[in-house]
Amino acid sequence: MPNNNTKTATFLLKLFLIINSAIILVPDKFKGIPVIGLLLSAIFYFIVNKSDKNLNLKLFRVSTSFFLVLLISISYSENTSYAFRKLETGLSLLAYPLVFMLLYNCKEKLDKKLIETLKWVFVIALTVFLISTFTYYFLTEPHYTFKSTIIHYHTLVDLRIIGYEIHSIYLSMHIGVGILFLINSMSNTQKTKILYHLFLLVLFFVFLAILNKRGPIIALGIIGIIYLIRSKIKTKAFIYVSALTAVFVLTMLFIPKFNNINRFKELIDIEGLRTNPNSSTALRLSIYNCAYKQAIKSPIIGYGWGDVKGVLDDCYQDENPNLLLKNYNTHNQFLSILLSTGIIGLAVFLFYFYYLFKFSNKNRNRLLFFLLLYFGLNMLSENILEREDGVIFFSFFINLFLFNSEKNTDKITEEL
C-alpha cells in the first residue's frame, strides 16, 4: 500500500509531466517553470521510489554530451553575457535527461498508458492552441474575413498575442510531431475510434498547409516515404499515407495564399535567385555561404557558444548587409554547432544522433526513430536547439521515449 509521500510524489510527477506535454499553452515568460517543477518532482519521486538498480549513466552521458561540449565552449567565448543567455535557453538539454534518468532508476517506471496519455495531452493542447488562436484572430482583427485570417495566420501567430508568440516554422514543427503521434497511436486503436484520429490528422494537415512552411512539410514527406519502405508497402499503410497526402495536396492547391506566392517554387527557380536576392532561398544561401567561410577559419573548436552571432554579423556586413536587418542565425543547426564548437562539437552531436538511431532500432521504437529523423531533417533549415520553442519540446519528448524504450522494462502502477 503506497504511503502518503509516494502518493504525493506520484501526483506531482504526473502533474508536471502533463504540463510539460502541454507546454505550448504555457505563456512564454513562464515556460521554464514546468521544466524546473518536473525536475524537482522527479527528484522527490526518485527519493521515495528509488530501486536498487544502478543509474543509467550511459544514456545520460550520451544525452548530455553535446550540452557539455557547449558548456566548455563558453570558456573561450568573448561575449560571455550572450553565451550565458544561450545557456539559459538550452538548460532543458540537461534537465530532461536528468529527469528521465532518475525515473528510469525508480521501482515503478512510466507505463505505456501514461506515455500514451502524454502524447494525447500534447495533441489536444496543440489542437486547442490552433483553433483558439485562429478564432481569436478572426474575431478580433478589424476588417478580417475568414479568407484573410487564413492568409495572414502564419504572421499573426508570431506577433498578435503577447506572451504566446511562436514562429510559424516552430508551430509547423509542433504540428508535424502531433501528426507522428496520431499515426503512431492509430496502429493500437480500435476501429471505432479511428475517426477521431482521422479528424485530427486532417485538421493538422490543413493548418500545416495554412502555415505553408517548406522545411516541416518536406521533412514529413520524406518520413512518409521511409515509413512506407519500412512497412514494406503494406496496403493499410499505403492507404493511410496516400489519403493524407491527397488531403494535404488538395488543401495546398486551393487554400488562399498571400499574393498567391508558391514558396516551394523558389526551390527550383534558379533564375529567381539572381533576380530576387532577398527571396527566402537566396537569403539562406547567403547565410550558408557566410557560415561556411567563417567555419573554415576556426575549424577545430569553433568560436564558442556566445560568439557565433558576432562572427556571422562580420561576414554579413561584407557579403550582404540586408542580413543584418533581421538578426539571422545560421538557419542550420549543424552549421551553428560547427561555428560554436568546431569539428569536435559537431562530431559529438552526430554521434549523439547515431547512437539514438541505433538505440531506437535495437529496441524497435519506431516513434523515437521517426521523431529523431523529423527533428534532424528540420535541423537542416532551422536552429531548433537555440530557440525555446524548439529545444524544450525536442528535449522533453526525445528523452521521454529514449529512457522508456528498452524492452521488458517494469511498469509504473496506477496510484491516482
Side-chain angles (χ1 to χ4, degrees):
M1 191 75 180
N3 57 37
N4 288 334
N5 282 341
T6 302
K7 288 183 177 180
T8 303
T10 303
F11 171 78
L12 290 173
L13 176 66
K14 290 186 176 182
L15 174 65
F16 280 105
L17 282 169
I18 288 170
I19 295 174
N20 276 265
S21 297
I23 205 163
I24 193 170
L25 298 179
V26 177
D28 298 336
K29 189 181 294 186
F30 303 108
K31 286 191 188 297
I33 294 176
V35 181
I36 296 170
L38 180 59
L39 178 58
L40 294 177
S41 63
I43 293 172
F44 181 32
Y45 188 83
F46 173 75
I47 291 172
V48 300
N49 283 287
K50 182 180 178 182
S51 71
D52 296 328
K53 292 171 59 177
N54 294 325
L55 292 169
N56 194 334
L57 292 175
K58 184 177 181 180
L59 279 183
F60 179 75
R61 284 195 296 266
V62 172
S63 298
T64 57
S65 56
F66 170 63
F67 180 81
L68 180 61
V69 173
L70 287 174
L71 203 59
I72 293 172
S73 77
I74 293 178
S75 64
Y76 53 88
S77 294
E78 293 182 8
N79 191 344
T80 53
S81 61
Y82 185 71
F84 280 108
R85 289 203 301 273
K86 301 279 282 185
L87 174 64
E88 182 181 355
T89 301
L91 275 176
S92 57
L93 292 171
L94 175 65
Y96 287 128
L98 180 56
V99 164
F100 293 110
M101 179 190 69
L102 293 175
L103 298 181
Y104 181 92
N105 190 246
C106 292
K107 294 176 183 177
E108 296 164 348
K109 296 181 173 58
L110 307 182
D111 69 358
K112 289 182 180 179
K113 185 177 179 181
L114 178 57
I115 293 174
E116 188 69 18
T117 298
L118 297 179
K119 287 156 56 179
W120 273 105
V121 168
F122 175 84
V123 167
I124 293 169
L126 179 58
T127 304
V128 170
F129 183 89
L130 292 170
I131 294 175
S132 61
T133 51
F134 187 90
T135 304
Y136 177 79
Y137 304 143
F138 174 62
L139 294 177
T140 61
E141 288 294 326
H143 314 299
Y144 264 38
T145 62
F146 188 78
K147 179 180 177 180
S148 55
T149 306
I150 290 175
I151 292 172
H152 296 287
Y153 181 75
H154 72 283
T155 302
L156 294 170
V157 291
D158 195 23
L159 300 171
R160 187 66 174 82
I161 304 178
I162 297 174
Y164 284 95
E165 301 95 338
I166 180 171
H167 195 286
S168 52
I169 289 179
Y170 287 85
L171 182 56
S172 297
M173 288 183 204
H174 279 71
I175 294 172
V177 171
I179 289 170
L180 293 179
F181 285 174
L182 286 168
I183 292 175
N184 178 256
S185 295
M186 286 176 73
S187 60
N188 301 314
T189 301
Q190 299 174 0
K191 290 184 178 180
T192 54
K193 296 182 179 179
I194 288 291
L195 286 177
Y196 298 114
H197 291 74
L198 292 176
F199 169 77
L200 289 171
L201 281 170
V202 170
L203 179 71
F204 282 0
F205 272 109
V206 168
F207 269 99
L208 200 62
I210 290 172
L211 292 167
N212 195 22
K213 296 302 175 182
R214 292 170 300 189
I217 292 171
I218 292 171
L220 272 181
I222 293 172
I223 285 175
I225 294 170
I226 295 174
Y227 174 76
L228 286 176
I229 294 171
R230 286 172 67 100
S231 302
K232 299 180 180 178
I233 319 295
K234 291 180 180 177
T235 303
K236 188 176 179 180
F238 182 78
I239 291 172
Y240 282 149
V241 172
S242 299
L244 291 172
T245 301
V247 168
F248 180 71
V249 170
L250 288 171
T251 305
M252 286 292 293
L253 287 174
F254 294 105
I255 205 162
K257 302 178 185 67
F258 181 71
N259 290 337
N260 289 318
I261 294 173
N262 184 346
R263 297 182 61 83
F264 287 86
K265 187 178 179 182
E266 285 185 16
L267 296 174
I268 56 174
D269 185 10
I270 306 301
E271 181 63 28
L273 294 177
R274 291 192 290 268
T275 59
N276 184 14
N278 291 320
S279 69
S280 174
T281 303
L283 288 174
R284 283 178 184 268
L285 290 176
S286 296
I287 291 168
Y288 296 156
N289 181 51
C290 272
Y292 172 74
K293 284 183 176 180
Q294 299 296 63
I296 59 178
K297 293 178 183 178
S298 182
I300 307 301
I301 62 171
Y303 296 92
W305 206 1
D307 292 0
V308 174
K309 179 179 178 298
V311 167
L312 285 174
D313 286 348
D314 291 341
C315 182
Y316 294 162
Q317 185 65 52
D318 296 332
E319 299 288 332
N320 187 351
N322 288 332
L323 294 174
L324 293 170
L325 300 177
K326 290 191 177 181
N327 197 25
Y328 286 105
N329 58 30
T330 59
H331 279 276
N332 182 301
Q333 188 65 67
F334 303 99
L335 281 176
S336 180
I337 291 168
L338 185 61
L339 286 171
S340 299
T341 58
I343 294 172
I344 294 174
L346 182 59
V348 171
F349 188 63
L350 291 176
F351 173 78
Y352 165 74
F353 260 82
Y354 165 76
Y355 184 90
L356 266 61
F357 273 123
K358 184 178 178 181
F359 185 90
S360 64
N361 275 323
K362 179 182 177 182
N363 292 281
R364 300 175 186 174
N365 191 328
R366 296 178 69 183
L367 181 56
L368 177 59
F369 176 88
F370 284 119
L371 272 180
L372 285 167
L373 182 59
Y374 182 69
F375 282 121
L377 289 170
N378 277 290
M379 285 179 183
L380 294 172
S381 58
E382 289 299 325
N383 295 27
I384 294 176
L385 304 184
E386 297 171 34
R387 289 183 66 118
E388 196 173 54
D389 293 332
V391 67
I392 289 180
F393 94 112
F394 165 83
S395 187
F396 176 75
F397 284 113
I398 291 298
N399 286 288
L400 170 65
F401 298 122
L402 175 65
F403 281 89
N404 293 281
S405 65
E406 289 192 296
K407 300 173 188 174
N408 302 319
T409 53
D410 300 326
K411 297 179 180 180
I412 191 172
T413 56
E414 295 297 322
E415 296 174 351
L416 292 182

